[in-house]
């Protein structure tokens, strides 16, 4: 009959973003999407476009990124696909889990169907930063007050226009209102974690908010300054974009625990 | 009077060994000693030889390495020396603490005066290794039985001839008896830690013993095989040298808590 039947695979991906030029495909530069498409072609013998849920910049890490790709009807099970892809991928990117989407889930879109994303920005205020953490935290000179930072972070909860934290790449016609479901600052020894969950983020939004929380934590600004920027409506008013290496994509959620139906772990 | 008065500084050093050709000076290769001597010359304006307590190979890490160097009588305090050295050093090596040795401790030798060294070799037996740990653990295919490994490790306690675990670099006239004070295997989630403390180690000894513990943990050998190699007296009989990236120098002890007298942290 000539009908093309495809298999849609779901990927849970972790990476150390240090040596990538971000997640999104760029000519001649190493990217998450590029590496994935290259190894998928090696394993399946055909090119397949990879869709990723969240865009991460150069140097930003992911514990839990979601991707999909389609290939012609294929008999490889989840476990074999994971092993095969990991055997070709470099060690700084790993497929943690693979699912095979059934025919009723064939239109699943990892980006559009996500209902929330959780990111963490990690500060470290030890006197000397242990070498092991150098690519994963923002090392602060001075001591952070995490309680006052948490007070600032809590003001982000709810629906706000984040245009004051937008970068150049946010276009004038882009919708800049987002809803924040969770926003907290906690400390574990010398690590201060800013965790935020929202229905979406503008480009550089978290790194800019982290820059403001840093000033708050060092006592240079009052936590109420957050309100000022949420009310300001001045595009890109807050200009201090912190290093990408403190930022990590931690989780992505879909309606009705969609992922869990297809994953083995 | 022309009398040369020197100041002896004590360094506590941490490093990620991944991008170093070991601790010991080598022509045209990046080493711990080489980097330290370069930055000391930048800070003090004169060359000074650095003595390190323990020799670590390419790829081996250190949480706690001890070093010393002498410069002409100098007024820089410990804190300033640490800041100055760290500002020049690359981020994969850090001076965690600095002490100034008083005149009665001027003959302190970080290598000869050490009474024990603790190393840890870390295995990880998760199905997929998270990218963040790729340079710090040995990823095992299969599940390790840490209890049976611990049984094997306990047989190392006491005074033994470790010649069967010696590498090519151990010369025929070298004394190969060492005393092991502590030797345990413990698990935390997917991480299995082999921790060993001894008055000294032969070159490659721990990586070879770790290779044997791996076979024991996978059920390929009985823990009693340890006894066989301790009794064998066959030079380098055990040839499986595991990857350096699982190995880390954790601690070094001196008589009468010597270091604590001079350190600020």
């Amino acid at each position: 009959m000539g009908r093309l039947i495809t298999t849609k695979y779901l990927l849970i991906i972790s990476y150390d973003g240090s040596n990538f030029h971000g997640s999104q495909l760029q000519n001649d530069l190493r990217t998450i999407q590029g590496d994935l498409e290259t190894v998928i072609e090696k394993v399946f013998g055909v090119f397949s476009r990879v869709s990723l849920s969240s865009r991460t910049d150069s140097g930003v890490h992911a514990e839990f990124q979601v991707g999909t790709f389609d290939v012609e009807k294929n008999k490889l099970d989840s476990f074999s696909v994971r092993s095969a892809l990991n055997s070709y991928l470099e060690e700084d990117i790993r497929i943690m889990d693979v699912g095979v989407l059934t025919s009723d889930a064939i239109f699943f879109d990892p980006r559009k169907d996500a209902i929330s994303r959780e990111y963490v920005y990690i500060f470290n205020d030890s006197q000397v930063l242990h070498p092991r953490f150098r690519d994963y935290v923002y090392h602060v000179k001075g001591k952070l007050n995490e309680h006052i930072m948490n007070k600032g972070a809590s003001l982000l909860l709810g629906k706000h226009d984040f245009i004051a934290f937008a970068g150049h790449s946010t276009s004038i016609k882009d919708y800049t209102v987002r809803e924040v479901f969770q926003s907290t600052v906690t400390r574990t020894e010398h690590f201060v974690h800013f965790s935020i969950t929202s229905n979406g983020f503008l480009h550089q939004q978290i790194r800019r908010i982290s820059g403001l929380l840093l000033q708050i934590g060092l006592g240079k600004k009052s936590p109420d300054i957050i309100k000022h920027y949420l009310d300001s409506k001045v595009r890109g008013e807050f200009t201090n974009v912190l290093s990408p290496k403190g930022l990590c994509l931690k989780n992505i959620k879909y309606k009705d625990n969609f992922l869990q139906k297809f994953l083995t772990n």
Side-chain angles (χ1 to χ4, degrees), chain A:
Chain A
M1 298 288 287
R3 195 156 65 98
L4 191 69
I5 302 173
T6 63
T7 302
K8 194 181 195 83
Y9 287 102
L10 178 68
L11 304 175
I12 306 300
I13 310 146
S14 286
Y15 47 86
D16 176 337
S18 308
N19 298 317
F20 288 95
H21 292 267
S23 58
Q24 198 155 320
L25 207 63
Q26 293 186 64
N27 281 341
D28 303 326
L29 292 175
R30 188 174 177 226
T31 62
I32 299 300
Q33 190 186 349
D35 273 22
L36 290 172
E37 291 180 354
T38 301
V39 300
I40 286 167
E41 187 160 4
K42 281 184 184 156
V43 170
F44 292 93
V46 290
F47 174 81
S48 177
R49 180 101 291 160
V50 168
S51 300
L52 293 174
S53 173
S54 303
R55 182 175 173 175
T56 57
D57 282 345
S58 296
V60 173
H61 315 293
E63 292 265 341
F64 193 98
Q65 168 75 281
V66 177
T68 57
F69 67 97
D70 302 282
V71 291
E72 257 185 81
K73 190 109 187 115
N74 196 292
K75 278 177 294 188
L76 283 182
D77 63 33
S78 303
F79 187 81
S80 306
V81 170
R82 188 178 73 175
S83 299
L85 294 177
N86 280 334
S87 74
Y88 284 112
L89 285 167
E90 291 193 44
E91 284 189 330
D92 55 355
I93 170 168
R94 293 284 96 184
I95 306 299
M96 305 307 285
D97 209 343
V98 173
V100 181
L101 295 185
T102 43
S103 54
D104 58 324
I106 204 85
F107 295 112
F108 171 72
D109 183 314
R111 188 174 66 79
K112 290 183 191 155
D113 293 345
I115 53 173
S116 78
R117 295 172 173 85
E118 180 192 355
Y119 280 85
V120 172
Y121 196 96
I122 308 178
F123 304 90
N124 181 297
D125 62 358
S126 57
Q127 287 200 354
V128 181
L129 182 65
H130 192 287
R132 196 176 40 223
F133 305 119
R134 68 191 185 282
D135 290 330
Y136 307 111
V137 304
Y138 179 80
H139 188 219
V140 179
K141 284 185 205 258
K143 279 286 152 198
L144 291 175
N145 180 334
E146 70 274 18
H147 306 293
I148 211 162
M149 289 169 80
N150 188 47
K151 200 178 158 194
S154 71
L155 299 174
L156 297 164
L157 287 168
K159 220 170 194 173
H160 303 283
D161 188 341
F162 286 96
I163 194 166
F165 297 105
H168 302 296
S169 56
T170 302
S171 122
I172 295 189
K173 53 188 197 303
D174 287 346
Y175 184 64
T176 50
V177 173
R178 297 290 185 276
E179 186 172 1
V180 173
F181 306 122
Q182 178 267 126
S183 175
T184 50
V185 174
T186 53
R187 177 188 284 275
T188 307
E189 293 172 353
H190 289 297
F191 297 91
V192 173
H193 295 76
F194 165 44
S195 164
I196 182 164
T197 308
S198 172
N199 60 353
F201 294 96
L202 310 180
H203 186 223
Q204 294 187 335
Q205 179 187 335
I206 306 172
R207 287 162 62 195
R208 285 169 187 249
I209 290 175
S210 300
L212 186 51
L213 286 173
L214 173 65
Q215 296 181 353
I216 292 168
L218 292 173
K220 292 178 184 171
K221 302 271 186 201
S222 145
D224 287 335
I225 190 83
I226 296 271
K227 280 186 203 153
H228 162 79
Y229 286 103
L230 292 178
D231 292 341
S232 98
K233 309 287 194 294
V234 178
R235 176 176 301 275
E237 185 183 9
F238 189 79
T239 54
N240 184 0
V241 184
L242 282 198
S243 162
K245 63 187 183 179
L247 187 59
C248 182
L249 171 58
K250 291 293 273 190
N251 206 356
I252 304 172
K253 290 212 165 129
Y254 295 88
K255 250 192 293 192
D256 307 325
N257 281 319
F258 175 85
L259 297 185
Q260 280 59 46
K261 293 174 204 158
F262 302 100
L263 298 176
T264 53
N265 279 335

